[in-house]
Amino acid sequence: MSTGGKKGDLRFKRVLLKVSGEALMGSAQYGIDVETVGRIAREIKQAVEIGAEVCLVIGGGNIFRGLSGAAQGMERASADYMGMLATIMNALAMQNALEGLGVSTRVQSAIPMMSVCEPYIRRKAVRHMEKGRVVIFAAGTGNPFFTTDTAAALRASEMGCDALMKGTQVDGIYTADPKTNPDAERYEELTFMDVLSQDLKVMDASAVALARDNNIPIVVFSIHEPGGFVSVLNGTGRSTIVKSSAA
């Protein structure tokens, strides 16, 4: 697929890309697949090259998921902090892949870890993006009991993003799981209230409510579609957009 697009014709200029930790596993059952991380990094580089300002939040489920740890008897806050540390590992892996492609990158962590990355400072992050750097936000919100989805909505709000891009396993939101139900239909558009009232599993409710309150559309697309990220930025790719009101 052609990546298409040129500077000036983007539907969304400044975006936060949310990627699950599981997306970094590739075909493996655990951990980080370097080839998969490299492919996603190339998608991000293409977006930067056509003028998009990009920041990222990456989950940690490929290494450790706080809720899973809590379900096995761990104290929830401790399990969540472990999950936050997993997101830092993923952020450093993505930084390494992006800088290997010549993309200037900064990692900012909500849990200070000065030896490996910057602490999260909002004004500094905004300045990095204005200079064309990709900023990767790690360690969630820095607080237990909040998911990386909520962290993504929070950082998108703080950065003044035009959209929150949710890279998933499928090319949008469907009436049912398209992998198991061939009759499932894809939504083109939904409102925030549609997602909340129908309990659609796009992002957790607090993330959706935060995006709604700050009027930041959520765009759900396939992170595995070659050129998909740039196509969605251009407004031509397959996706579902969640916004305040339907067209």
Side-chain angles (χ1 to χ4, degrees), residues 19-239:
V19 180
S20 69
E22 288 87 345
L24 305 189
M25 294 192 302
S27 59
Q29 298 299 309
Y30 175 84
I32 299 170
D33 179 69
V34 174
E35 183 176 336
T36 300
V37 175
R39 182 183 56 75
I40 296 173
R42 289 191 293 274
E43 297 273 324
I44 296 167
K45 179 182 180 180
Q46 291 167 4
V48 172
E49 286 176 339
I50 63 170
E53 296 177 2
V54 182
C55 52
L56 284 89
V57 168
I58 307 174
N62 57 320
I63 298 171
F64 188 87
R65 183 181 294 279
L67 279 174
S68 298
Q72 296 176 53
M74 294 185 68
E75 194 269 325
R76 172 66 189 274
S78 294
D80 279 353
Y81 281 121
M82 292 173 66
M84 292 178 213
L85 296 178
T87 72
I88 296 172
M89 296 173 68
N90 285 339
L92 294 175
M94 183 59 71
Q95 179 183 44
N96 181 75
L98 284 166
E99 294 196 338
L101 297 172
V103 179
S104 183
T105 311
R106 296 291 187 275
V107 174
Q108 289 198 349
S109 171
I111 297 175
M113 197 172 293
M114 298 293 289
S115 296
V116 295
C117 57
E118 297 180 358
Y120 172 66
I121 301 172
R122 186 188 68 83
R123 289 172 64 92
K124 195 169 185 178
V126 170
R127 187 64 178 142
H128 285 321
M129 294 185 70
E130 290 172 347
K131 290 182 176 181
R133 297 168 183 150
V134 173
V135 182
I136 308 171
F137 299 116
T141 66
N143 302 288
F145 303 100
F146 290 94
T147 67
T148 50
D149 278 351
T150 301
L154 175 63
R155 298 293 184 241
S157 301
E158 291 178 299
M159 294 300 105
C161 289
D162 300 322
L164 195 172
M165 318 291 284
K166 177 74 181 286
T168 67
Q169 309 301 311
V170 292
D171 57 357
I173 304 170
Y174 283 77
T175 54
D177 186 349
K179 294 183 178 180
T180 58
N181 186 344
D183 296 324
E185 296 182 2
R186 183 174 60 86
Y187 294 105
E188 289 288 340
E189 291 187 359
L190 288 166
T191 67
F192 292 115
M193 287 308 300
D194 290 334
V195 172
L196 292 170
S197 63
Q198 297 177 40
D199 194 26
L200 297 173
K201 304 302 183 183
V202 182
M203 304 181 91
D204 64 67
S206 59
V208 175
L210 188 55
R212 177 197 62 191
D213 293 346
N214 290 283
N215 197 30
I216 298 173
I218 299 171
V219 182
V220 181
F221 71 103
S222 173
I223 194 65
H224 301 296
E225 178 70 26
F229 185 34
V230 166
S231 295
V232 173
L233 288 174
N234 287 332
T236 60
R238 284 174 63 88
S239 65

